[in-house]
Amino acid sequence: MHDDRHIVEDRLRRVLEERIKPAVHSSPQPLAVARWDAPGEPVPVAEGLAAEYVSAAVGQEWGPAWGTTWFRVSGRVPADWADRTVEAVVDLGFERSMPGFQCEGLVYRADGEAVKALNPRNDWVRFPDVPPGGELEFYVEAAANPILNVQRPTREGDRLTASDRPLYRLNRVELAVFESEVWELVQDLEVLGGLMHALPVEDARRWEVLRAVERALDAVDLGDVAGTAAGARAQLAGVLAAPARASAHRVSAVGHAHIDSAWLWPLRETVRKVARTASNMVNLMGDHPELVFAMSQAQQLDWIKEHRPEVYARVREKVAGGQFVPVGGMWVESDTNMVGGEAMVRQFVYGKKFFLEEFGIETREVWLPDSFGYTAAMPQIVKLAGADWFLTQKISWSQTNKFPHHTFWWEGIDGTRVFTHFPPVDTYNSDLSGREMAHAARNYREKGAGSRSLAPFGFGDGGGGPTREMLARAARLKDLEGSPRVEIEKPSAFFEQAHAEYRDAPVWSGELYLELHRGTYTSQARTKQGNRRSESMLREAELWAATAAVRVSGYGYPYAEFDRIWKTVLLHQFHDILPGTSIAWVHREARETYARLQKELTALTLAAQQALAGTGDRSLVFNAAPHSRHGVPAGGAREAAPAGPVGCHERPGGGHILANELIRVEIDGRGLVVSVRDLASGREAVAPGSAANLLQIHPDFPNLWDAWDVDAFYRHSVTDLTDHTALTVEAADDSATVTVHREYGSSTLVQRLTLAGGSPRLDCEVEADWQETEKFLKAAFPLDVKADRSASETQFGHVFRPTHTNTSWETAKFEICAHRFLHVEEPGWGAALVNDSTYGHDVTRDVRRDGGQTTTVRLSLLRAPRYPDPETDHGTHVLRYALVPGACIGDAVREGHRMNLPERTVRGEREVAPLVTVDSEQIVVASVKLAEDRSGDVVLRLYESYGGRAVAALTPGFPVTSVTAVDLLERPREEDAEAVVSGYEGVRVTLRPFQILTLRLSR
């Protein structure tokens, strides 16, 4: 037989697109349209409905960027359309290929009830209660969101800079007859066409489908599609009825709409996006009881509750009925690389509390399809939150190495394992096409051991969710020869079945590093700094507020304020906000929000400290860090011991020498650090012939995804900033500072190097007026250390990464994330770099002529990508970091906390004893707070910080009736009961490496 498949395939494509699909709606009747353009920001629904409308017409332009136009649509259903299915079809000016990234609308009845959303793949609405001959009226709240997913710089990403030209043209507003048999024919042909393309050419099934499709196309009269659709479908019935093979892969299809809480749209637009999507889903569920829709991100459901209570009421009904399924258990789908440990805990605390309180549901899975890599601390946090399973998708985006598993046990830094699935469909926005389902089956890596995978389906990113077309595909693929078996079901059903059949799944130990989007550790430095400072200030405020609540009569713990502030901080940890990949509007608002929160937290902290200190004239130093300093205990306040002396004198050959009793620093005439000597060991930290704290600038123009990516070739070109315009020194008895002014391009950079009395570290500060474009600023520290691996702080511990590039896996980690410290060492001696708001780092090594090894650690300070925010990082920044020579891991932990939790001085009369003390620096008190249930119990979160076993005595500074090990939601946790032994004088805790232990102390 001749190979004519391409002719049939091309025929199918054209006939479908040009004849059959347009025939789904027949007998179109124009509807009358009026419009009202809302001034400024979106208005409440009642205001939109009551506005003064003016006559409008199809073809009119509407919508400047971020504007809202309300359309009133009216007409009469023809009296002779009895027994016909009638739909209004509204095309707001859609570009069909980009649902979620352009204009959208929400349809309302005249009484304000939301009906469903309109988007490029969902442009219809039914009103079955309007009889033939009856009057029809509805309203559309149309959002003119600009199309920004085009990977080029634009000013449209902020309403302050966007143009005022109309972006869209109203294309179609009609009443039409929905031809159900034609619609069903479309679904038949699309499923079979997708399956046909996915099958091997050698497979007889492909040719069987091809011939059936050809017969169906022959049966269609292109002049009377509606009249001949049933006959065409009859030609396809046989191939659609053939059952799947017994060994066919099984796909659990879960309806979903991955909605970015902010990205190419601001937060306020996401509030409307989730309302539109939720309305779509409850509307679709009414006609399709088989639909199961999973929605993550408690924040988004809370938005619906707050802003659209009538939609929320319908959501609650569908949750109770089991169709609308809350998943994930987090406040938002956050970044996991940069979120601090306590903040990661609170993502689960606030997320799971919301689902429990609102729906009575304890979510068992963590749902993070789109975050840019996953911390190795996550498995333990997942388990402590009471969850059993983890789902991600993004690792399929890795550029270099293909991840070896789709279903596996993920082991964290402490040894905790969580059952994890990575859907082989390779998308979290599946449309359930035959092609995608075939890819999932082919791609599945667990063949022979496991037989099932999960596929999240529905339009996402900008929302939309599943459509009736997707459900039709699922029905046809339920049991179809040549295809995996597709079953719509809850995520829990998939995980229970997958776990049951594959309990001995392979183990992946350590982080799930995404070999892409490495620039997200650095982009939008002010957003990252705002996050870090908010996390630190929340720790301080909760610590002192809890202490005051226990110690001071009449002091009221500010539960409501902490609840609101935490939720705001958690929202801004969303995986396109904290990573710096949202539009300018989002980051402008984030900066404003962080500034407001920091003022509030400062006030809360001061109020608690003043309540504790009382009135008086003593200068009391409050130490919120988990380690004592200057004679002030962790979590306490007293007069600090004076700092030791610092010497400062000129260096032969130019520059200055700074020294205290712990370290000696040489700064040469260029303002570069050429020596940092650890006086206790006599070891030199800076590699011979090198200079530390060297600012370096690279070109930064990745192949794609500007704000997201740095590509390895950026290292091929570098400019060292060694010239300066001024160098000055200021010295006092207890500190000395060398200040260096430098210029590059249109930017100025002021470096300050400070050595304080009694300090084991050299503090560095860069004040940058950064005006560059597509440049990458780094600070380099070439260290005389033979380090085979680096240790980067992550949540509640640290993760080791090789410094070599033996394999492609190590080579791909050319940019890495660290929290407060990065540490390198050889047996007996090491060094650490600590920072107050920097996350991106790189570590390289080289062998010198003298045979020694130089390990160079660099901090990634600033970038300047142009998309999606053309002015990313422009402006003034103050970035702080420090070199700690002779540091072990414990020193790195201590100094990292100290840099992020500065001492605060308050006038008063009373010293403040710590609320709790732990007699081992190995065990860090991560947080002190009052219990979420407002019982007044004190809750402590501890973790082992060195990576070894630890035993310590914990002594409460107040009367305690019981000490209970609890989970993150502060419920008793039997698994941790043996870690706590209570005695007459205190409590003994025993922690395994990197173990997190939460204790509830009843007063």
Side-chain angles (χ1 to χ4, degrees), residues 330-347:
M330 296 175 70
W331 190 247
V332 296
E333 289 182 15
S334 72
D335 171 78
T336 79
N337 289 311
M338 293 170 285
V339 172
E342 188 60 25
M344 187 63 72
V345 164
R346 302 303 175 96
Q347 287 285 353

Side-chain angles (χ1 to χ4, degrees), residues 35 60-65 144 156 163-169:
R35 66 185 284 177
Q60 280 188 349
E61 294 181 327
W62 66 278
E156 300 286 278
S163 65
D164 58 1
R165 61 183 174 83
L167 297 182
Y168 298 102
R169 186 183 301 276

